[in-house]
Amino acid sequence: MTEPLVSVRDLRIGATTDAGRKVEIIKGVSFDIAPGEIVALIGESGSGKTTIALSLMGHARPGCRISGGRIAIGGDDVTAMSETGRAALRGTRVSYVPQSAAAAFNPAKRIMAQVIEITDIHRLMPRAEAEAKAVELFRALALPEPESIGTRYPHQVSGGQLQRLSAAMALIGGPDLVIFDEPTTALDVTTQIEVLRAFKSAMAQGGASGVYVSHDLAVVAQIADRIIVLKGGEIQEEGTTGQILHAPAHPYTRALLAAFEPRPHAAVPAPGHPAQPRPIIEVAHLHAGYGPISDGAPQAKVLQDVSFRLERGRNLGVIGESGSGKSTLARAIAGILPPYRGTVLVDGTEMRPDLRNRSKEELRRAQIVFQLADTALNPAHSIGAILGRPLAFYHGMRGQAAERRVIELLDMVQLPANLRFRLPGELSGGQKQRVNFARALAAEPELVLCDEITSALDTVVAAAIIDLLKELQRELDLSYLFISHDLSTVEAICDDVLVMHKGRVVEALPARDMSAKAAHPYSRLLISSIPQLDTGWLASLEQDPELVRQFALR
Amino acid sequence: MSPSLLPWYYVGQRFAIALLTLLIISFTVFFATQLLPGDVAEILLGQAATPEAVAGLREAMGLNAPALSQYAGWLAGLAHGDLGTSYANRMEVSELISGRLANSLRLAGVTTLISVPFALALGILAAMYRGSALDRAISICTISVISVPEFMLATLAVLVFAVWLGWLPALSIGGNADTLGGLLKTYAMPVISLAIGVSAQMVRMTRAAVIETIQTPYVEMALLKGASRWRMVIGHALPNAIGPIANAIALSLSYLVGGVIIVETVFNYPGVAKLMVDAVATRDLPLIQSCAMIFCVSYLSLITLADIVAILSNPRLRR
Amino acid sequence: MTLTKTLAAVLPTPGRLGYRFNLAGRTGLCVIAFWALIAVFGPLMSPYAPGEIVDWDYFSPMSGQFWLGTDYLGRDMLSRILMGARYTVGISLAAVAITVTAGVLLGMTAAVIGGWFDMVLSRLLDALNGIPSLLFGLVVVAAVGSSIPVLVLTLAAIYIPGAYRYARALAVNINTMDYVTVARARGETTFYLATREIFPNILGPVLADLGVRFIFIVLVLSGLSFLGLGVQPPNADWGGLVRENLEGMSLGAPAVIFPSVAIATLTISVNMFIDNLPVKIRDRSE
């Protein structure tokens, strides 16, 4: 075996909390990276994957400190280097592609100056030569107008382009090791493909080693040779990509993979019989938007002519990319953003556009649950108070009765009763999302509008929430309007799916066999862009470039 | 609208806001001085005046007109440079002010010239070496300075430089401004007292503005490219901190307005502020109104200027 | 009842929110507490009546009889400083309480209601913010004369625009949070949204802001008194004490030094306390 390029031995990184407490966030991690090899660090939030990746450049975020172990790059000990020594290493031998290129580009400087800055800092080559090399890289990364894109400012190009430009910035110094820190997480799926492809081919050309940090196994499967699975600052399992995907040894790896298993929802048959004459919700020609209103329509029209119906006991998924208007749809139905045209009927009753004009009873029947439990739960209220408020507000329930009901609600979402004395800040992400959902249940609704409620959660936690939602639906006779950008989640819980693009519904599909039944070109593009747990997926994927140009927001 | 005009649209908007603000301020100043005190005629003539005399003066001064028309008349006068007549010595207010204004502006100008470069350098250094001994020393000094009243800085300066060291005269009148030494002696004490206060404010705000920019991902990115500390701060953070720093300078210089009132009094410096404090003692309302408007206009111009710099330095509005 | 108990049991105390005060913060707090106690009980402890001439000499130095020396008339400085604490701390506290209460009420209302109400109020108060603080004091005192109620109201009025702007900015941030949207979608009233959903979450920064404005007010009050426009003789706050004894400066008399020291210790300790609050509370918008 050849000498490894990177060798990490018993790496320990400590952090100091706000309260001055010292904790160890990386607990003795060891691994090697061979020259030309791409290794993925995979794990959920808090697993320490980004911390480890940054430590390879001798960098620790404020408040953190490399407290033990040894990191060697090409035989040189990074941990023993002075700050000047590390600075000399950065950009030339190890370089970095950030998670959000939009934030990592300096808004006050032109793109070219930032891309070639490494060559200037380390005096690698004359300016003209550096610019020529940058243009070459732009071309290799399939950027449009490679000759002139460098003269623009960062806010003048799209997110997907910036992400590729940040790869050019990392590759300009001809590094031995490139660190990719969740570089496609912030992108839409149709954009992600193009960026991943560009990364893959640029890395194959350059021959550098790579560290690819991600939480998404399917993305990593496309680009990594080897995968290291992390949890709580420790390595759980390490192996080749094929072995991790097909023969996982560690139970945690198996749980990660299990979350990817398709769990199709046993669809409730569409009732055609007269026992249920009215759909739980029926939306007709709904229009909504933001900004000053002129001629009866707002300036920014987000939602245009949306119609659908949802039968009682069934679930409807709404999928689309950022800017498709899917979240606006939930807000318009709830009356938070009053629609300016069209009607919303809940159980046959027409709702006033503005929620302020709706009755308490009307408001109670349809509850909305938001994506981020962190911002959806008031940090100053105890869990008991958060769940108690809708009880008092809608049902006039107080005192002992309310307390009993709070315990019942917590039990429904499988949380212990004594959690009601806690503040939201003291709960885990999954627990908070359960409380968030329990608050909607407290109103005893018939329809729940779920806005990306599993998107911010780690895969294993999200899968558990979906199971819970299904179970509660059986018990409580609920209907869900389920908004998500994640097709597999929608598949797991919905009967029907609406595909949205630029504020319009492009197609309505049954949730089962979406890919087979999709007829509209955009639905097909969107569905085919979802990464699959298959190492050959990206290579074999063929998309019509005309279609991509027409629909993808690059 | 063409994108190249966008910044100028915001600049125009800022000017409109400044004008509106000025109007509201002038109304407040007028209301506070002319209407709040009750009967101006009575104040002028004193407690012993006969009711007939008071009524006569009220008529002569137009005090019987509705408040709004009095205000309009006053405003029109201001616009034409007619600042009214002093109650105390029957002189034109504009005449009283003109020479004094030049004195005050000179004091403020010298203070600005000294404190801006000094404070910016210290503020940026403190931000660059955040948490170091230098930063902590600067921090303690500036906190102490901004925590004490202006008159304390002034009296402390007198105590140190005039009483203990005997280098400078305690008062600034009588100084001979023809020679360099004389000039120094005339201005040194007031300028030192003012500059210390202004600089302390500016150092703190500059430090905060630069630190905020240093904590952005693009400065971390520069670090990960191997950039030196200087390059990170001067090359990456500063261009984005121009707006906040301009704001810091403007707000700190506005401290001059408060400081100058105290400092001119302590050192008996013949400026507008001293004139105004004396006018307050004699309740010379037209003089107070004019001085107050002068201070408000200079304060407002500073803030507006800073806002315009911030707009023009925003790269997102460029081109 | 049980639910209210639930609420009380989880008051967000410093320990619970995961931070603690460091040495500088604690020192600051101790000095603040010291001056607060002096303001309340000081006059009971004073060795002489503050207005009584007790020494034939003037500007006498510190001695066993007069711990902090005597002033320009031969009155005991310790007694006068103890009494001055009541004016300086009392007037400033009253003013800052009015300022912050008005600022927070207006700010939260503007944030929750929004629209033209918010625009007009913000524009108006922003304009008033354009009047330099000491100048505002000068103008009002010139117009209506100086008395303690006038001082309190003037000082409060000077800083209401700033307190409003700060509280509004905080409330606008909280108002966009999903939990407020959820409460609004539930059908809650504006009053509930402001008092129960928003207020608890801006309380920390508002208290820090109260400290900052307290310092400003102490400084402006001292400045006014120094100009002879604050508390009127024979009474004197600390700023007034400095003014009275200014002639003693060339003698280095304790009578001019100690009132200054009193002001400085108070303001510096408040600043120290606030500066050492955790970032999420301190986060000032200035």
Side-chain angles (χ1 to χ4, degrees):
Chain A
M1 186 183 162
T2 52
E3 192 68 15
L5 173 72
V6 179
S7 152
V8 176
R9 287 291 167 272
D10 194 31
L11 176 67
R12 289 171 189 279
I13 297 177
T16 312
T17 64
D18 274 359
R21 216 154 37 85
K22 283 193 172 26
V23 288
E24 193 161 67
I25 51 175
I26 303 299
K27 302 159 185 157
V29 163
S30 306
F31 61 91
D32 288 335
I33 301 173
E37 187 187 31
I38 297 181
V39 173
L41 297 179
I42 197 146
E44 304 183 331
S45 48
S47 62
K49 52 191 191 299
T50 294
T51 311
I52 294 175
L54 286 173
S55 73
L56 297 179
M57 308 186 86
H59 180 56
R61 290 248 159 90
C64 300
R65 206 171 55 83
I66 299 175
S67 53
R70 186 171 176 276
I71 300 169
I73 308 269
D76 298 326
D77 187 355
V78 177
T79 36
M81 278 181 194
S82 67
E83 195 53 34
T84 329
R86 289 173 183 171
L89 179 87
R90 294 170 187 155
T92 53
R93 297 174 62 192
V94 188
S95 63
Y96 181 72
V97 178
Q99 169 166 11
S100 167
F105 270 94
N106 189 331
K109 300 180 118 188
R110 289 180 201 276
I111 288 168
M112 181 56 89
Q114 302 190 57
V115 168
I116 63 166
E117 192 179 7
I118 285 176
T119 65
D120 183 32
I121 293 171
H122 303 285
R123 303 190 200 295
L124 298 178
M125 57 186 93
R127 191 182 170 89
E129 195 184 320
E131 290 193 358
K133 187 170 180 194
V135 170
E136 222 172 279
L137 281 168
F138 294 161
R139 212 168 268 134
L141 288 159
L143 282 156
E145 300 166 43
E147 301 288 345
S148 64
I149 195 167
T151 61
R152 301 199 211 162
Y153 281 96
H155 68 274
Q156 294 167 326
V157 303
S158 74
Q161 288 167 2
L162 267 186
Q163 205 65 51
R164 278 178 279 167
L165 286 165
S166 71
M169 185 157 80
L171 292 169
I172 193 97
D176 302 326
L177 176 70
V178 183
I179 294 166
F180 295 90
D181 186 4
E182 301 240 24
T184 64
T185 305
L187 304 175
D188 278 320
V189 279
T190 51
T191 317
Q192 173 171 267
I193 292 206
E194 202 64 19
V195 173
L196 265 182
R197 274 210 176 117
F199 284 175
K200 203 174 170 177
S201 74
M203 288 299 284
Q205 278 174 34
S209 302
V211 169
Y212 199 101
V213 175
S214 181
H215 69 283
D216 189 340
L217 262 174
V219 166
V220 157
Q222 311 310 318
I223 197 163
D225 302 313
R226 222 144 45 82
I227 295 178
I228 295 173
V229 182
L230 290 158
K231 187 181 188 223
E234 286 172 303
I235 293 183
Q236 306 298 311
E237 185 171 3
E238 187 181 342
T240 63
T241 304
Q243 183 246 308
I244 294 281
L245 293 188
H246 304 301
H250 196 278
Y252 178 69
T253 316
R254 282 196 218 120
L256 276 182
L257 285 165
F260 269 89
E261 290 289 313
R263 278 164 305 161
H265 174 55
V268 177
H273 51 90
Q276 284 179 317
R278 290 194 301 257
I280 179 68
I281 182 164
E282 183 165 11
V283 167
H285 309 295
L286 205 66
H287 293 69
Y290 299 90
I293 292 178
S294 58
D295 301 331
Q299 210 165 36
K301 301 171 185 69
V302 183
L303 217 56
Q304 299 197 52
D305 198 22
V306 173
S307 304
F308 67 85
R309 52 189 281 156
L310 172 61
E311 307 294 339
R312 199 176 274 276
R314 285 171 65 90
N315 301 329
L316 178 69
V318 180
I319 58 172
E321 298 182 284
S322 52
S324 64
K326 55 189 192 302
S327 287
T328 308
L329 177 61
R331 284 168 185 265
I333 292 171
I336 297 166
L337 178 73
Y340 62 92
R341 212 178 294 154
T343 52
V344 175
L345 300 175
V346 172
D347 198 20
T349 322
E350 181 168 350
M351 296 287 125
R352 302 281 188 87
D354 192 330
L355 72 90
R356 277 174 291 190
N357 301 324
R358 296 183 188 176
S359 75
K360 217 182 232 192
E361 180 60 16
E362 286 167 348
L363 291 170
R364 182 192 63 76
R365 299 175 79 170
Q367 292 286 309
I368 187 164
V369 182
F370 287 113
Q371 172 181 10
L372 300 170
D374 280 326
T375 61
L377 303 180
N378 193 329
H381 292 179
S382 69
I383 303 303
I386 288 171
L387 295 181
R389 180 61 196 175
L391 296 177
F393 186 81
Y394 290 125
H395 308 294
M397 209 184 269
R398 281 167 220 284
Q400 291 278 312
E403 174 127 19
R404 265 199 306 277
R405 181 69 184 147
V406 165
I407 296 171
E408 232 172 82
L409 285 165
L410 284 170
D411 186 53
M412 272 188 214
V413 294
Q414 296 158 8
L415 291 175
N418 59 9
L419 222 60
R420 65 191 190 278
F421 303 114
R422 302 269 193 92
L423 290 171
E426 298 165 331
L427 269 56
S428 74
Q431 286 176 323
K432 274 184 265 193
Q433 198 56 284
R434 282 163 194 262
V435 171
N436 193 10
F437 195 75
R439 173 173 55 190
L441 294 182
E444 294 174 21
E446 292 154 48
L447 172 69
V448 185
L449 310 170
C450 304
D451 185 5
E452 301 260 15
I453 61 170
T454 58
S455 303
L457 301 174
D458 293 321
T459 39
V460 176
V461 182
I465 295 268
I466 293 294
D467 289 341
L468 174 70
L469 255 58
K470 285 182 178 178
E471 192 185 316
L472 287 169
Q473 172 161 42
R474 277 195 297 275
E475 283 171 21
L476 302 173
D477 190 26
L478 296 167
S479 301
Y480 298 132
L481 180 73
F482 201 89
I483 289 156
S484 181
H485 68 275
D486 181 10
L487 267 72
S488 57
T489 314
V490 168
E491 212 167 1
I493 193 162
C494 295
D495 304 292
D496 298 294
V497 173
L498 296 180
V499 182
M500 291 192 68
H501 185 242
K502 291 191 175 160
R504 293 177 187 274
V505 173
V506 299
E507 194 167 18
L509 291 166
R512 275 196 154 183
D513 291 331
M514 261 188 278
S515 46
K517 290 188 180 130
H520 190 277
Y522 176 71
S523 324
R524 290 220 305 273
L525 177 72
L526 182 65
I527 292 165
S528 70
S529 299
I530 310 293
Q532 302 294 314
L533 258 188
D534 167 8
T535 48
W537 168 76
L538 183 64
S540 64
L541 177 67
E542 278 172 27
Q543 287 179 327
D544 182 357
E546 191 51 44
L547 217 65
V548 172
R549 207 167 10 260
Q550 192 183 346
F551 290 109
L553 309 155
R554 305 227 151 108
Chain B
M1 189 183 314
S2 118
S4 63
L5 286 177
L6 201 59
W8 299 108
Y9 168 75
Y10 286 118
V11 168
Q13 197 179 36
R14 199 63 202 78
F15 268 116
I17 290 174
L19 273 181
L20 181 69
T21 306
L22 197 59
L23 202 67
I24 297 175
I25 288 177
S26 67
F27 181 77
T28 314
V29 166
F30 182 81
F31 176 82
T33 49
Q34 198 91 6
L35 304 176
L36 221 51
D39 201 329
V40 175
E42 224 165 70
I43 296 171
L44 275 181
L45 295 175
Q47 296 284 319
T50 59
E52 293 77 34
V54 171
L57 188 63
R58 287 182 65 88
E59 192 57 47
M61 291 180 67
L63 293 178
N64 289 333
L68 224 51
S69 78
Q70 284 187 48
Y71 170 65
W74 175 72
L75 208 58
L78 274 191
H80 291 101
D82 172 18
L83 305 181
T85 314
S86 160
Y87 290 170
N89 51 16
R90 305 282 161 198
M91 275 172 74
E92 284 292 312
V93 169
S94 50
E95 228 170 280
L96 283 171
I97 286 179
S98 54
R100 298 287 196 113
L101 185 59
N103 281 345
S104 289
L105 286 177
R106 208 171 299 138
L107 181 59
V110 176
T111 308
T112 308
L113 280 182
I114 292 175
S115 44
V116 170
F118 173 71
L120 288 189
L122 272 190
I124 293 168
L125 270 180
M128 269 176 82
Y129 297 96
R130 188 184 183 195
S132 67
L134 173 77
D135 178 32
R136 271 189 302 229
I138 291 176
S139 203
I140 290 170
C141 289
T142 53
I143 282 204
S144 312
V145 171
I146 62 160
S147 299
V148 302
E150 294 95 340
F151 62 80
M152 234 178 102
L153 292 178
T155 49
L156 217 65
V158 171
L159 212 58
V160 173
F161 293 106
V163 178
W164 291 344
L165 299 173
W167 291 354
L168 300 162
L171 301 179
S172 66
I173 48 163
N176 180 357
D178 292 340
T179 62
L180 184 67
L183 189 79
L184 265 181
K185 284 191 170 175
T186 314
Y187 286 104
M189 293 299 294
V191 167
I192 289 174
S193 323
L194 273 177
I196 290 176
V198 173
S199 305
Q201 290 270 5
M202 215 181 293
V203 168
R204 275 177 78 79
M205 294 173 71
T206 307
R207 177 182 177 274
V210 175
I211 282 181
E212 190 156 307
T213 344
I214 286 182
Q215 286 170 337
T216 53
Y218 55 80
V219 175
E220 190 187 37
M221 189 67 224
L223 171 84
L224 293 177
K225 285 177 180 176
S228 65
R229 203 192 280 260
W230 281 91
R231 190 184 186 107
M232 273 155 53
V233 175
I234 310 292
H236 286 274
L238 277 190
N240 290 287
I242 291 173
I245 288 179
N247 206 22
I249 294 177
L251 283 178
S252 315
L253 287 181
S254 67
Y255 174 95
L256 269 175
V257 177
V260 99
I261 295 177
I262 299 286
V263 165
E264 287 189 3
T265 310
V266 172
F267 296 105
N268 214 3
Y269 182 92
V272 188
K274 180 82 177 74
L275 186 67
M276 181 170 175
V277 174
D278 294 342
V280 169
T282 55
R283 302 192 91 177
D284 191 346
L285 294 179
L287 193 50
I288 294 173
Q289 284 166 353
S290 302
C291 293
M293 286 310 291
I294 286 174
F295 283 120
C296 290
V297 168
S298 41
Y299 183 89
L300 195 62
S301 328
L302 275 173
I303 302 287
T304 307
L305 190 67
D307 280 351
I308 289 172
V309 169
I311 291 169
L312 294 181
S313 75
N314 184 346
R316 285 172 208 282
L317 293 179
R318 217 175 278 164
R319 299 194 319 148
Chain C
M1 177 226 145
T2 34
L3 270 181
T4 47
K5 204 168 76 191
T6 312
L7 254 181
V10 291
L11 272 181
T13 57
R16 189 131 185 166
L17 293 177
Y19 61 83
R20 58 178 187 190
F21 297 118
N22 57 15
L23 185 65
R26 282 183 209 167
T27 315
L29 197 57
C30 287
V31 178
I32 297 168
F34 169 77
W35 281 123
L37 287 176
I38 294 291
V40 179
F41 301 109
L44 302 176
M45 303 188 284
S46 65
Y48 305 94
E52 194 185 345
I53 297 174
V54 289
D55 191 8
W56 295 113
D57 204 3
Y58 55 90
F59 290 136
S60 57
M62 295 156 69
S63 64
Q65 195 184 358
F66 309 111
W67 288 5
L68 299 183
T70 58
D71 74 354
Y72 72 115
L73 291 176
R75 293 174 292 196
D76 178 47
M77 271 319 285
L78 177 61
S79 310
R80 286 187 71 75
I81 287 178
L82 292 180
M83 192 60 204
R86 190 167 274 194
Y87 289 109
T88 297
V89 177
I91 292 175
S92 303
L93 265 187
V96 84
I98 297 176
T99 298
V100 172
T101 310
V104 167
L105 285 180
L106 289 174
M108 285 200 308
T109 315
V112 175
I113 293 180
W116 67 266
F117 176 82
D118 179 24
M119 211 178 69
V120 170
L121 194 63
S122 295
R123 190 55 63 227
L124 193 75
L125 288 174
D126 264 1
L128 292 183
N129 219 8
I131 303 178
S133 43
L134 192 57
L135 191 80
F136 195 120
L138 271 183
V139 170
V140 174
V141 170
V144 295
S146 184
S147 66
I148 287 178
V150 167
L151 279 176
V152 169
L153 288 179
T154 309
L155 291 169
I158 291 174
Y159 286 108
I160 284 177
Y164 161 82
R165 185 203 272 220
Y166 183 76
R168 180 187 165 277
L170 291 170
V172 163
N173 274 342
I174 300 292
N175 195 39
T176 61
M177 291 286 174
D178 287 340
Y179 56 82
V180 182
T181 311
V182 167
R184 193 172 274 137
R186 192 191 300 141
E188 303 281 7
T189 59
T190 301
F191 180 76
Y192 177 90
L193 293 177
T195 56
R196 304 303 295 275
E197 297 288 347
I198 294 179
F199 183 67
N201 292 296
I202 66 170
L203 187 59
V206 160
L207 288 179
D209 182 54
L210 186 138
V212 175
R213 276 178 220 290
F214 177 75
I215 296 171
F216 291 161
I217 288 177
V218 168
L219 294 181
V220 171
L221 172 65
S222 305
L224 280 175
S225 295
F226 180 79
L227 295 174
L229 302 168
V231 178
Q232 296 300 308
N235 301 319
D237 64 337
W238 291 339
L241 289 175
V242 176
R243 175 191 170 85
E244 288 177 350
N245 299 304
L246 204 55
E247 291 160 49
M249 191 166 60
S250 49
L251 311 169
V256 63
I257 293 171
F258 280 107
S260 306
V261 171
I263 298 173
T265 51
L266 177 65
T267 50
I268 291 177
S269 58
V270 175
N271 246 332
M272 247 163 73
F273 176 67
I274 295 165
D275 253 43
N276 288 290
L277 285 173
V279 179
K280 54 185 167 188
I281 290 187
R282 195 175 62 222
D283 209 348
R284 305 184 210 164
S285 64
E286 297 167 50

